[in-house]
Amino acid sequence: MEKKKFIKERRQFLKVTLGTFLSGALTSCDLSRFKNPKTMVKSPIGPNILRPPGAVSEEHFAQKCIRCGRCGEVCPYHCIKYFDIKTGGVFSGTPYVNVMEKPCYLCMKCVYVCPTGSLVPCAKEDVRMGVAVINRQICVTWQQQKTGLMCKTCFSVCPFSGVAIKIDHDFRPYIVEEYCTGCGICAYSCIADTWYENKGKKAITIMPIKWKKIKEIKLEDIKKS
Amino acid sequence: MARKSFWKRITIWRYLFLAVCFVIVVGNPFTNYYWDINFIQGWFQSIGVGNLWIVSPLEGVESILTAKFFYMPSLVGMVIPVTVALLMGRVFCSWMCPIEFLSLLTDKIFGLIPKWGNKLKYRPDLIRLPKRFLWFALVAELLFTMIIGYPLFVWWSPPGLVGRETMFYVFYKHVTIEIVIVILVLLLNLLTRRLFCRYFCPLGATLALLGKKRQLVIHYDASKCVGCKVCDTRCPMGIKPSVGESQTVYCWNCAECVDVCPTNALNFTWRDKGVLRVTPGVVKVND
């Protein structure tokens, strides 16, 4: 009888130690901190392929998102799409907005529906999906001497026109990076691809946001122009 | 003994409930896409009915573990499923899960095949693993998520995939490769009934763990039992209610044994108000 009790107690003890060990391992071991995110898992987010508005930074997005698909179901324009295992790998099931197929119109419905805080509720003006970059070699208005055109499409189409996109005295558009939301309406409606020399290239691309690199983008722009 | 009349069987209500849940989950992409009614969004990873949000416990915990970040709506959304699991055990698996509905449907369809139908309908369980395997599945799942650093069950959970594939089909007119997982889970039913749910489902393991001290249990009345053991053969989880195993962690309260018992020896009771806790291993047979 005593031996049985002893065995039972030993089992209990083993169970408790194993449980504590496992729970400790679970909370402490996190190899994602040690690996280099650029080499291990490459995020499919790139130029013109962006996260929905209000998204947290890309390193934490796939960790927080539980792939419930509510943002895509609620989107009235059906512009939110999802990666699958072919295109996304570990990121499969997370939402994205392909600006060239359909831009985000900033209705801000998806933001209020996210259950895990991967899309944080915010005002329209505070959205930072990316930053629009104008390629001045391709833009028809910047190449006025060659094309003789003066389109103001991006300026008139922007939801924050006059704030995020401004035009100078020659009606050439330029972007104020501080206020650009990266919704991609300007890139979607750019008419530069119809000019025969451009071969279907659009003048505006939306770069996914990396706040450190914005100064570099400005420098590149200056070099190009 | 006569069988219970149609509407007095609990399983009929269970099938109806399963069908309603399935229609809600599969139907909400259609309402969202074609009529822009956003009343119900999402599926069993996180479903939103109006302003009521429900977040599946395992997925919520995984996202908290990997991101190390607490978000109030997700914690509040986990309250309802956790309380349900604490009170009634793995009731989600047997009464709501779309995989359970689909496997019941496939069972029916296989039963209709002329030659093999009867054999498939009354098939024995080919693979029998120790029941503890369920906990290993949960621990392995959590360990893998922590090692990789991204939540895993959120994309391969079969009940979630049922909703996601229908959404993909309705919204983008194509289906992804992940549907193979759902088909595989359904085909594994041929080897053993609910093989995946029994031994491999981490979500089922969490719910079972929460419902260890559940209140709603199936009480086994030894004085009424004749010892025919119909309940043992009928139980889809492969446990033996005739030995009093219906009060263990592995029972998912599907009430198949309650309906099949000819002498009403098995019944739903609240654990506190129930007569006695039956010690497993004791079988009484009436004289």
Side-chain angles (χ1 to χ4, degrees):
Chain A
M1 203 56 194
E2 273 188 5
K3 204 181 178 186
K4 256 189 182 174
K5 208 181 173 184
F6 174 71
I7 287 172
K8 221 181 180 181
E9 274 181 355
R10 195 171 62 182
R11 272 188 187 164
Q12 205 98 47
F13 173 73
L14 277 174
K15 262 184 197 171
V16 168
T17 43
L18 211 105
T20 44
F21 172 73
L22 275 177
S23 50
L26 280 178
T27 45
S28 64
C29 106
D30 185 4
L31 291 185
S32 67
R33 215 182 292 156
F34 300 111
K35 80 199 169 196
N36 186 2
K38 275 180 187 171
T39 52
M40 283 281 282
V41 268
K42 210 189 164 205
S43 167
I45 294 297
N48 287 336
I49 293 173
L50 313 164
R51 290 290 180 207
V56 293
S57 64
E58 183 54 29
E59 301 129 42
H60 301 300
F61 190 86
Q63 294 175 345
K64 276 184 189 175
C65 176
I66 57 168
R67 283 85 159 161
C68 64
R70 283 167 66 179
C71 46
E73 286 193 345
V74 119
C75 182
Y77 303 97
H78 308 307
C79 59
I80 295 181
K81 286 171 183 141
Y82 294 91
F83 294 114
D84 57 353
I85 190 92
K86 267 188 206 164
T87 51
V90 194
F91 297 86
S92 68
T94 51
Y96 72 94
V97 177
N98 191 343
V99 159
M100 280 305 158
E101 287 170 13
K102 218 172 248 180
C104 174
Y105 290 95
L106 297 177
C107 67
M108 309 305 286
K109 271 190 178 177
C110 52
V111 162
Y112 292 105
V113 120
C114 180
T116 55
S118 27
L119 305 179
V120 184
C122 58
K124 255 188 188 183
E125 298 84 23
D126 301 334
V127 174
R128 293 287 178 274
M129 297 162 70
V131 167
V133 176
I134 299 178
N135 191 339
R136 294 179 184 182
Q137 302 294 327
I138 290 174
C139 178
V140 284
T141 321
W142 274 91
Q143 304 290 330
Q144 276 173 4
Q145 266 85 4
K146 244 199 284 175
T147 58
L149 286 171
M150 203 174 65
C151 98
K152 289 181 293 180
T153 317
C154 48
F155 176 74
S156 54
V157 114
C158 179
F160 300 102
S161 64
V163 181
I165 291 186
K166 287 182 178 175
I167 42 175
D168 59 5
H169 54 278
D170 280 338
F171 299 102
R172 298 180 296 195
Y174 65 96
I175 279 154
V176 186
E177 277 89 352
E178 288 159 9
Y179 300 111
C180 179
T181 55
C183 62
I185 304 175
C186 52
Y188 176 69
S189 49
C190 179
I191 59 144
D193 55 337
T194 51
W195 179 249
Y196 65 94
E197 276 185 4
N198 288 338
K199 291 162 192 164
K201 272 186 195 168
K202 296 222 178 198
I204 304 179
T205 47
I206 313 286
M207 303 302 285
I209 200 134
K210 284 164 191 162
W211 278 109
K212 288 174 192 170
K213 285 196 172 177
I214 273 180
K215 279 185 180 174
E216 293 171 25
I217 289 169
K218 272 182 185 172
L219 281 173
E220 281 172 14
D221 269 18
I222 292 160
K223 277 175 198 169
K224 275 176 191 171
S225 60
Chain B
M1 291 287 172
R3 247 183 126 186
K4 281 175 194 166
S5 65
F6 190 76
W7 292 111
K8 280 197 175 176
R9 276 181 243 162
I10 303 173
T11 39
I12 295 301
W13 296 103
R14 182 175 140 237
Y15 299 153
L16 276 176
F17 200 76
L18 274 169
V20 167
C21 286
F22 186 78
V23 164
I24 285 172
V25 162
V26 168
N28 82 65
F30 288 92
T31 55
N32 276 306
Y33 188 77
Y34 292 110
W35 299 291
D36 275 333
I37 303 166
N38 296 327
F39 186 66
I40 300 172
Q41 329 103 16
W43 42 82
F44 283 128
Q45 270 142 20
S46 162
I47 198 160
V49 183
N51 280 327
L52 178 75
W53 290 6
I54 294 169
V55 179
S56 165
L58 181 60
E59 277 92 329
V61 163
E62 272 190 350
S63 97
I64 285 170
L65 274 177
T66 49
K68 304 206 168 44
F69 172 77
F70 290 93
Y71 189 62
M72 267 323 268
S74 74
L75 287 176
V76 172
M78 279 194 281
V79 166
I80 290 173
V82 165
T83 42
V84 165
L86 282 173
L87 284 176
M88 299 192 258
R90 270 182 86 171
V91 122
F92 165 81
C93 299
S94 56
W95 287 69
M96 289 166 98
C97 185
I99 287 294
E100 167 70 7
F101 180 80
L102 285 177
S103 37
L104 279 168
L105 213 67
T106 43
D107 279 0
K108 266 269 170 336
I109 289 164
F110 283 133
L112 290 176
I113 302 168
K115 261 190 184 177
W116 292 88
N118 259 348
K119 272 186 189 175
L120 283 169
K121 217 173 179 180
Y122 301 105
R123 65 190 180 275
D125 299 337
L126 288 178
I127 299 174
R128 270 183 176 273
L129 301 169
K131 281 172 207 141
R132 269 166 284 148
F133 215 87
L134 197 63
W135 314 122
F136 290 124
L138 175 62
V139 169
E141 162 69 32
L142 283 175
L143 269 179
F144 265 112
T145 50
M146 292 314 288
I147 287 167
I148 293 170
Y150 293 100
L152 272 182
F153 193 67
V154 293
W155 76 262
W156 75 269
S157 84
L161 275 176
V162 172
R164 199 194 308 165
E165 294 308 322
T166 44
M167 190 240 183
F168 264 83
Y169 188 71
V170 171
F171 275 65
Y172 317 120
K173 314 293 180 215
H174 71 87
V175 174
T176 56
I177 325 164
E178 279 107 320
I179 205 167
V180 172
I181 297 170
V182 177
I183 293 167
L184 198 74
V185 166
L186 291 180
L187 283 180
L188 280 176
N189 272 334
L190 284 176
L191 296 173
T192 304
R193 288 164 301 161
R194 318 287 181 270
L195 179 73
F196 178 80
C197 312
R198 271 189 211 181
Y199 304 123
F200 300 111
C201 186
L203 180 61
T206 15
L207 293 177
L209 204 64
L210 286 171
K212 201 183 176 186
K213 291 271 188 291
R214 64 182 180 277
Q215 290 303 305
L216 187 75
V217 286
I218 292 172
H219 175 69
Y220 165 66
D221 195 351
S223 60
K224 277 184 190 171
C225 181
V226 229
C228 64
K229 310 243 174 181
V230 184
C231 44
D232 293 2
T233 52
R234 188 59 186 263
C235 181
M237 291 305 279
I239 59 176
K240 288 172 183 154
S242 68
V243 207
E245 275 187 358
S246 59
Q247 297 201 359
T248 55
V249 205
Y250 305 103
C251 174
W252 65 358
N253 284 352
C254 68
E256 290 278 353
C257 53
V258 175
D259 283 355
V260 103
C261 184
T263 53
N264 292 334
L266 291 156
N267 269 311
F268 273 121
T269 46
W270 298 104
R271 194 189 281 263
D272 291 342
K273 290 174 186 171
V275 192
L276 271 175
R277 198 186 279 184
V278 182
T279 46
V282 180
V283 188
K284 273 187 192 172
V285 182
N286 272 10
D287 298 328

